[in-house]
């Protein structure tokens, strides 16, 4: 906070000024001390400034906030001008103020008063606002039956919370009347009970009969609940919302009876299904997944502990319940071990209990295994076969081996019969002999020569061997089918030959067209080079400029002509 020197109005200075005194101006030393005091207050080494009400002023408040205006008339450091002013504060109604109901019966008027209602004689309203039945002769003229004055309602001004107070205007006397009524009923019951004992003093009431009749309702179980009136423990027979409702499992009205009040199913709604296929698990189904068992054990322990006098609740004090349960389990184990030691000391037989751990009983073996420092097996145990996630060793169609166990001439097959046909039937040794009788031929891929060379490199058909021709003519295998296949082959050869000739003509034509286009591109490139050379000789200021020049991608022939001419221009 900067210097908090009070700013006194000029009128006050003139009024308080004597004839010889004049206002003193602060010296440099006074300004320095004020600055040091301000820094000390900010650092906390000097006490803060105090206003007229005795409140400390924060030294970090800036000067334009802490300094009061000259017309405020403050004589010292203050922040009162920054706080809400008393004359501007809204005065709210008190908590006891509320609208009054009815009429004021404490004051009774016997004659008509000036300015009262002409109809009923009340002072709080006029004739046009009167709610009574219009009289034949008003109270103004006969002065009879003057009505009581209504209460003058106060102007209730409430703040934000007061407008939303649900108990505003509540009279506690109303509740006191209810309490008094119940007390009278209790006193009447005690008097009745004392009269019965007086008439028959030998009859002693049991503990359940001594309780009030209203408390009998607590011992009656509500439908769908199991209530212990002494322990106040309620377990509702409700289902979890994610579960299918029992009455939806079988919509047949003649199936198992469902009681909607207790939410119980009297029989299995799916009697035709097997137990493992049916989703209905019965009324006493308990979930055994997650922490369900742990929670149920904790709930049972809480009930048993509460029944034995330990005040604990699973929801209100879960930590306390868990600590008590852990301590109970620990003491229970100690008690069991103590009983066990007592029996062993009395009857003996401790040597029969000294057996290896359960994990080692079924893992004992006589195989010798050596391991390295890294945990790898050195010797003594065969290496485990790496299994695949696919099915293995599936043998079909009388095969004794799987597909892919045999390889020959670039083909996979079965090792048991040397068959290369997948999912074929196994022939055993006869299948091997059949495959061995067939000579293995190596397949050489045929590479077709270019179309331009096919005509020149055509190989003439081989002449038939006279021995083969004689044998074929003599044999019965030369039939019309062979002649038809030969005609088909010759026809296919003629078609392929014509096709190659067409492609050759087309290629020659395209080559000729390309040469013509290249010649035209060369001429155009020469012309352009001449124009560029002539333009380069001109002055830059006299060179023409054509803005309508069409720019497009050059063709392959134009690019080839440019490269050829460019090579000629290189020195």
């Amino acid at each position: 906070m900067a210097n908090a020197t009070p700013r006194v109005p000029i009128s006050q200075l003139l009024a308080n000024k004597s004839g010889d005194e004049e206002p003193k101006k602060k010296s440099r030393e006074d300004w320095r001390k004020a600055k040091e005091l301000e820094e000390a207050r900010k650092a906390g080494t000097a006490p803060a400034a105090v206003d007229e009400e005795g409140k400390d002023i924060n030294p970090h408040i800036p000067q334009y906030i802490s300094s009061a205006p000259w017309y405020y008339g403050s004589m010292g450091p203050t922040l009162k001008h920054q706080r809400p002013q008393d004359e501007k504060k809204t005065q709210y109604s008190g908590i006891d103020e509320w609208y009054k109901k009815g009429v004021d019966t404490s004051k009774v008027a016997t004659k008509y008063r000036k300015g009262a209602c002409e109809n009923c004689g009340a002072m709080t309203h006029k004739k046009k606002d009167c709610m009574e039945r219009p009289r034949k002769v008003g109270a103004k003229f006969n002065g009879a039956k003057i009505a009581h004055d209504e209460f003058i309602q106060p102007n209730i001004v409430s703040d934000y919370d007061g407008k939303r107070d649900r108990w505003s205007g509540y009279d506690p006397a109303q509740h006191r009347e209810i309490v008094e009524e119940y007390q009278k009923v209790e006193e009447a019951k005690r008097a009745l009970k004392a009269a019965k004992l007086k008439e028959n003093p030998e009859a002693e009431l049991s503990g359940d009969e001594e309780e009030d009749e209203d408390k009998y309702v607590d011992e009656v179980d509500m439908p769908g609940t199991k209530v212990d009136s002494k322990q106040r423990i309620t377990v509702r027979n409700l289902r979890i919302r994610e579960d299918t409702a029992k009455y939806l499992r079988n919509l047949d009205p003649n199936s198992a009876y469902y009681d909607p009040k207790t939410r119980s199913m009297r029989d299995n709604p799916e009697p035709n299904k097997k137990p493992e296929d049916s989703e209905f698990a019965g009324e006493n189904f308990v979930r055994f997944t997650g922490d369900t068992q742990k929670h149920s054990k904790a709930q049972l322990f809480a009930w048993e502990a509460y029944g034995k006098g330990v005040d604990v609740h699973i929801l209100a004090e879960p930590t306390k319940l868990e600590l008590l349960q852990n301590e109970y389990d620990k003491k229970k184990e100690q008690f069991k071990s103590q009983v066990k030691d007592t029996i062993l000391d009395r009857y003996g037989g401790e040597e029969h209990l000294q057996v290896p751990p359960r994990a080692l009983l079924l893992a004992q073996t006589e195989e010798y295994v050596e391991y390295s420092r890294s945990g790898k097996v050195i010797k003594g145990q065969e290496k485990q076969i790496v299994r695949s996630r696919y099915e293995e060793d599936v043998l079909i169609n009388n095969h004794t081996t799987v597909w892919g166990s045999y390889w020959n001439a670039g083909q996979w097959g079965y090792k048991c019969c040397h068959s290369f046909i997948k999912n074929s039937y196994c022939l055993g040794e006869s299948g091997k002999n059949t495959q061995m009788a067939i000579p293995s031929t190596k397949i050489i891929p045929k590479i077709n020569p270019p179309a331009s060379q096919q005509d020149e490199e055509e190989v003439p058909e081989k002449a038939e061997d006279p021995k083969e021709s004689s044998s074929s003519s003599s044999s019965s295998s030369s039939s019309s089918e062979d002649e038809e296949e030969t005609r088909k082959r010759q026809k296919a050869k003629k078609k392929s030959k014509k096709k190659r000739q067409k492609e050759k003509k087309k290629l020659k034509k395209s080559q000729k067209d390309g040469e013509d286009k290249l010649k035209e591109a060369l001429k155009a490139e020469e012309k352009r080079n001449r124009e560029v050379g002539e333009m380069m000789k001109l002055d830059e200021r006299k060179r023409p400029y054509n803005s309508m020049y069409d720019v497009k991608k050059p063709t392959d022939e134009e690019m080839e002509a440019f490269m050829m001419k460019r090579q000629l221009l290189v020195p």
Side-chain angles (χ1 to χ4, degrees), residues 246 249-250 255-257 265-275 278-283:
K246 301 170 188 174
R249 297 195 179 277
N250 192 347
S255 63
Y257 175 73
M265 185 75 74
R266 301 292 173 84
D267 199 0
N268 185 7
E270 301 170 343
N272 299 327
K273 287 189 177 181
K274 296 180 180 179
S278 178
E279 297 180 359
F280 182 74
E283 289 294 327

Side-chain angles (χ1 to χ4, degrees), residues 476-487:
S476 61
S477 61
S478 56
S479 60
S480 61
E481 294 180 359
D482 295 340
E483 294 177 359
E484 187 177 354
E485 289 180 359
T486 305
R487 284 197 299 270

Side-chain angles (χ1 to χ4, degrees), residues 446-459 496-497 499-501 503-504:
K446 183 179 180 182
I447 302 174
N448 295 327
S452 61
Q453 299 179 3
Q454 284 183 356
D455 295 340
E456 298 176 359
E457 298 178 358
E458 286 186 358
V459 181
S496 61
K497 187 175 181 181
K499 187 176 180 180
R500 287 194 296 271
Q501 289 176 356
E503 290 178 352
K504 188 176 180 182

Side-chain angles (χ1 to χ4, degrees), residues 14-277:
L14 294 174
N16 297 336
K17 187 182 74 170
S18 59
D20 300 334
E21 296 180 357
E22 292 182 1
K24 295 182 180 180
K25 187 179 180 181
K26 269 192 174 185
S27 63
R28 187 184 297 271
E29 187 66 21
D30 295 338
W31 281 104
R32 186 180 63 78
K33 289 181 180 179
K35 190 68 175 176
E36 290 177 356
L37 179 60
E38 179 187 352
E39 293 177 357
R41 284 174 175 171
K42 288 183 178 180
T45 56
V50 181
D51 60 1
E52 65 275 3
E53 296 179 359
K55 298 179 181 179
D56 292 342
I57 299 176
N58 190 347
H60 299 284
I61 296 176
Q63 183 182 5
Y64 71 91
I65 293 177
S66 61
S67 59
W70 61 270
Y71 52 83
Y72 193 75
S74 62
M75 300 303 297
T78 182
L79 288 177
K80 194 173 182 180
H81 60 282
Q82 294 290 351
R83 297 189 177 97
Q85 305 301 316
D86 296 336
E87 62 272 9
K88 293 183 180 180
K89 284 185 179 180
T90 305
Q91 298 296 330
Y92 297 107
S93 303
I95 193 172
D96 298 331
E97 297 182 22
W98 197 247
Y99 304 105
K100 295 182 180 181
K101 300 177 182 179
V103 293
D104 187 7
T105 58
S106 60
K107 299 177 182 179
V108 180
T110 58
K111 60 180 180 179
Y112 180 78
R113 294 160 292 179
K114 186 179 180 180
C117 177
E118 297 179 359
N119 184 41
C120 65
M123 289 290 294
T124 51
H125 61 271
K126 299 297 182 182
K127 183 178 180 181
K128 64 177 182 179
D129 299 327
C130 186
M131 301 297 294
E132 286 195 6
R133 178 182 58 86
R135 301 180 184 181
K136 189 174 183 180
V137 179
K140 178 179 180 181
F141 303 102
N142 58 10
K145 296 182 181 180
I146 303 297
H148 298 287
D149 299 338
E150 292 94 350
F151 288 110
I152 299 176
Q153 301 296 344
N155 184 19
I156 304 297
V157 180
S158 303
D159 56 356
Y160 182 86
D161 296 328
K163 292 177 182 178
R164 290 158 180 81
D165 186 9
R166 60 193 295 264
W167 293 102
S168 57
Y170 175 74
D171 187 9
Q174 300 175 2
H175 183 69
R176 193 178 300 111
E177 293 176 359
I178 298 173
V179 174
E180 291 175 356
E181 182 182 356
Y182 274 88
Q183 286 178 354
K184 290 178 181 178
V185 174
E186 290 287 340
E187 291 176 0
K189 288 181 179 180
R190 290 196 196 98
L192 182 61
K193 190 179 294 183
K196 287 183 179 180
L197 289 173
K198 191 174 182 180
E199 292 176 1
N200 190 7
E202 296 181 357
E204 294 182 359
L205 297 175
S206 60
D208 295 338
E209 293 176 354
E210 290 178 359
E211 296 180 359
D212 196 5
E213 293 179 359
D214 295 338
K215 298 181 181 178
Y216 292 162
V217 183
D218 296 340
E219 297 183 0
V220 179
D221 291 347
M222 292 178 62
T225 61
K226 299 176 183 178
V227 184
D228 190 348
S229 59
K230 296 180 180 179
Q231 297 185 10
R232 299 291 180 183
I233 298 170
T234 305
V235 181
R236 288 198 174 272
N237 186 16
L238 300 178
R239 66 178 178 88
I240 299 177
R241 297 295 98 185
E242 289 81 3
D243 294 348
T244 305
K246 301 170 188 174
Y247 56 82
L248 294 178
R249 297 195 179 277
N250 192 347
L251 300 179
D252 185 8
N254 298 324
S255 63
Y257 175 73
Y258 175 76
D259 188 6
K261 289 186 177 181
T262 58
R263 297 185 177 90
S264 61
M265 185 75 74
R266 301 292 173 84
D267 199 0
N268 185 7
E270 301 170 343
N272 299 327
K273 287 189 177 181
K274 296 180 180 179
E276 55 270 13
D277 298 337

Side-chain angles (χ1 to χ4, degrees), residues 331-345:
K331 289 184 177 181
K332 187 176 180 181
E333 292 295 331
Q334 291 178 358
F335 178 73
K336 285 184 178 180
S337 62
Q338 186 178 359
V339 172
K340 180 180 176 183
D341 296 340
T342 305
I343 294 174
L344 290 175
D345 293 341

Side-chain angles (χ1 to χ4, degrees), residues 438-476:
I438 299 174
S440 60
T441 57
K442 189 173 182 181
I443 301 173
I444 301 175
K446 183 179 180 182
I447 302 174
N448 295 327
S452 61
Q453 299 179 3
Q454 284 183 356
D455 295 340
E456 298 176 359
E457 298 178 358
E458 286 186 358
V459 181
E461 297 182 0
K462 293 183 180 179
E464 294 184 356
D465 194 0
K467 295 180 180 180
E468 293 180 358
S469 60
S470 61
S471 62
S472 61
S473 60
S474 60
S475 63
S476 61

